Amino acid sequence: MLKILYCIYQVFIAFPITIIMTIWTAAVVGIGCTLGDGHFWGYYPGRWWARVITRAFLLPVKVEGREHLEDNQSYVFVSNHQGAFDIFLIYGFLGRNFKWMMKHQLRKIPCVGYACAKSHQIFVDKRGPSKVKATYDAARKILETGNWSVVVFPEGARSFTGHMGAFKKGAFALADELQLPVVPLTINGSFNVMPRTKDWHFATWHPLSLTIHQPIYPKGQGAENIQSVMQQSYDSIMSSLAPEYQGFVENPDQ
């Protein structure tokens, strides 16, 4: 009975709020970034958007580990990618001004793609050396300021099972090049709320949690450091996953 009531609530309350907030946020970001500070307008409206939508779905959120982060320090945040609600959880509750590193295909999403482009989110485009270089140049420009960070899903795609797949090394190579700390993030609950196999279906009520692990600072530079930081990040994220999602499971699209 509660599940049915929650579905009815989504139809009349949560989904309309999501649509209205998405359109409003895209407009505010687009106008704000055109007229003013893109770093402000590219982050805070999105943060409010994520928080409102998470609350609209009545999902409790728990965040641990913010004390590990220093002010005025750029980070490369890397997170497991369980489901659609990962975006709301990180955007709304990480508490750091950052840019997303996202697939270039997301630029085509109505409203969202427009807002991301105007706010200078970083579209990862691997369709040739020049486009790869442009991706890294954009990320480097953000990180070298010392005030903003980037968030990456190193699996490259959402999990089909809730388990983590293999990590790609791009984010770790970027951190190595700029000698920046990598901060692993563990997301729990997003797969239970809306797994990839049920996109555009009703959400299932489930608590969400975000664990911010201690930063991993570079010890040297080059291939050995990249591999070491990538493995430490993987192990840190895995250590805080719910027991049912422990262990490596390869995603079909990897």
Side-chain angles (χ1 to χ4, degrees):
M1 184 61 182
L2 288 176
K3 185 175 181 179
I4 294 174
L5 289 175
Y6 187 48
C7 289
I8 294 172
Y9 168 82
Q10 290 179 56
V11 170
F12 291 103
I13 304 295
F15 288 148
I17 288 176
T18 299
I19 294 170
I20 292 169
M21 281 297 300
T22 300
I23 295 172
W24 177 84
T25 301
V28 169
V29 170
I31 295 170
C33 289
T34 300
L35 299 177
D37 182 359
H39 288 299
F40 176 88
W41 294 104
Y43 171 67
Y44 287 99
R47 183 185 183 189
W48 301 328
W49 166 78
R51 281 177 169 260
V52 168
I53 291 174
T54 304
R55 300 310 187 194
F57 280 88
L58 308 178
L59 302 173
V61 173
K62 180 181 180 181
V63 180
E64 295 180 313
R66 283 204 189 102
E67 68 276 7
H68 296 147
L69 305 180
E70 298 179 12
D71 294 336
N72 301 317
Q73 170 67 56
S74 291
Y75 293 107
V76 176
F77 292 99
V78 295
S79 173
N80 62 314
H81 204 358
Q82 281 201 335
F85 276 77
D86 297 346
I87 305 300
F88 304 126
L89 184 57
I90 293 176
Y91 221 160
F93 300 93
L94 178 59
R96 300 288 291 204
N97 196 327
F98 66 86
K99 302 294 184 185
W100 293 100
M101 291 188 71
M102 59 181 68
K103 291 182 176 181
H104 70 91
Q105 293 92 335
L106 298 178
R107 190 192 294 265
K108 299 178 181 179
I109 298 177
C111 295
V112 174
Y114 167 79
C116 289
K118 292 296 290 184
S119 59
H120 307 293
Q121 307 302 326
I122 303 163
F123 292 100
V124 179
D125 194 336
K126 299 179 181 178
R127 297 174 297 177
S130 64
K131 293 186 181 295
V132 172
K133 182 178 183 301
T135 295
Y136 274 85
D137 287 346
R140 188 182 299 109
K141 185 176 180 180
I142 293 296
L143 289 166
E144 285 177 338
T145 63
N147 295 311
W148 295 282
S149 301
V150 297
V151 173
V152 187
F153 294 114
E155 294 167 272
R158 286 173 292 161
S159 170
F160 280 97
T161 64
H163 294 259
M164 280 204 298
F167 279 4
K168 297 176 173 63
K169 69 177 184 179
F172 306 97
L174 178 65
D176 176 76
E177 178 186 343
L178 298 177
Q179 290 290 281
L180 290 173
V182 172
V183 179
L185 305 173
T186 301
I187 289 173
N188 278 300
S190 180
F191 185 80
N192 303 83
V193 173
M194 188 176 288
R196 185 174 182 179
T197 53
K198 293 186 178 180
D199 279 347
W200 309 109
H201 287 61
F202 287 110
T204 300
W205 187 92
H206 195 281
L208 296 170
S209 72
L210 176 66
T211 303
I212 304 168
H213 296 276
Q214 291 190 8
I216 302 171
Y217 288 86
K219 295 180 179 178
Q221 192 168 20
E224 186 175 341
N225 179 63
I226 293 171
Q227 185 60 41
S228 174
V229 174
M230 184 165 64
Q231 187 61 55
Q232 289 180 69
S233 298
Y234 192 93
D235 292 343
S236 292
I237 295 171
M238 183 70 75
S239 70
S240 293
L241 277 175
E244 61 264 37
Y245 301 124
Q246 290 279 336
F248 168 80
V249 174
E250 186 174 6
N251 285 317
D253 59 352
Q254 286 194 326

